Amino acid sequence: MLMGEYFHTADAKGRVILPTDLRDELGESFVVTKGLDACLFLYTDAEWKVLADKLQKLPMAKPEARAIVRFFFSGARQVSCDKQGRFLIPPNLREFAGLDKEVVWLGMSSRLELWSRSRWQQYNDKIEPAAAELAGMLTDLGI
């Protein structure tokens, strides 16, 4: 299971180091794509296949379905780490997520999220004041 929060840096070429314990969980090759909330999603090959199968079953006659499929597939890239545990994030994905030098890895059970540290802080600044509301949502969801 992918979990935890890790602070790292990206180099000038757009390479990032995948933390060792996350690398062990993610596997030798994996998929990186655009994610929700202006971050990147990383999936094991098996988890990507599950998502891709669901996306391919969406009704292509619906504009919303085509938009969702385009969103995830257009940015998707198969990548793998070098011997130092680094991989290159394509420029279009770096731009999409606003990645610069400081990045944050988040383990999210079946996927990883990669955030710009500044965007992650902005997101937390919005979410933390709503903690009581989030607690209420947990009850509504049966958790």
Side-chain angles (χ1 to χ4, degrees):
M1 178 179 293
L2 297 162
M3 57 186 172
E5 178 183 58
Y6 304 81
F7 295 91
H8 277 270
T9 58
D11 69 15
K13 294 179 183 179
R15 292 178 300 195
V16 293
I17 293 176
L18 188 57
T20 304
D21 50 342
L22 296 177
R23 194 176 330 143
D24 293 342
E25 289 283 328
L26 209 53
E28 285 190 34
S29 71
F30 45 91
V31 174
V32 59
T33 191
K34 292 183 259 183
L36 305 175
D37 301 313
C39 68
L40 300 180
F41 286 173
L42 289 85
Y43 294 95
T44 64
D45 289 338
E47 286 293 333
W48 175 253
K49 182 167 178 10
V50 169
L51 177 61
D53 288 346
K54 289 178 182 178
L55 292 172
Q56 290 170 347
K57 290 177 184 171
L58 293 175
M60 288 300 112
K62 291 191 171 193
E64 301 85 5
R66 291 193 307 271
I68 291 167
V69 171
R70 283 186 193 114
F71 179 80
F72 285 107
F73 277 99
S74 68
R77 297 288 284 275
Q78 184 86 31
V79 296
S80 57
C81 291
D82 64 15
K83 290 178 180 163
Q84 287 82 31
R86 301 173 303 183
F87 70 95
L88 179 67
I89 299 172
N92 62 317
L93 294 179
R94 286 195 312 263
E95 183 178 339
F96 170 81
L99 298 179
D100 49 19
K101 189 168 177 68
E102 295 185 12
V103 300
V104 181
W105 291 103
L106 302 175
M108 301 298 295
S109 180
S110 62
R111 72 171 186 274
L112 287 178
E113 292 184 356
L114 181 60
W115 288 73
S116 137
R117 188 166 182 169
S118 61
R119 283 189 180 174
W120 177 238
Q121 187 60 52
Q122 290 169 0
Y123 178 82
N124 277 311
D125 289 346
K126 284 191 316 191
I127 290 299
E128 286 178 15
E133 184 179 329
L134 290 174
M137 283 186 230
L138 290 173
T139 302
D140 294 343
L141 294 170
I143 298 174

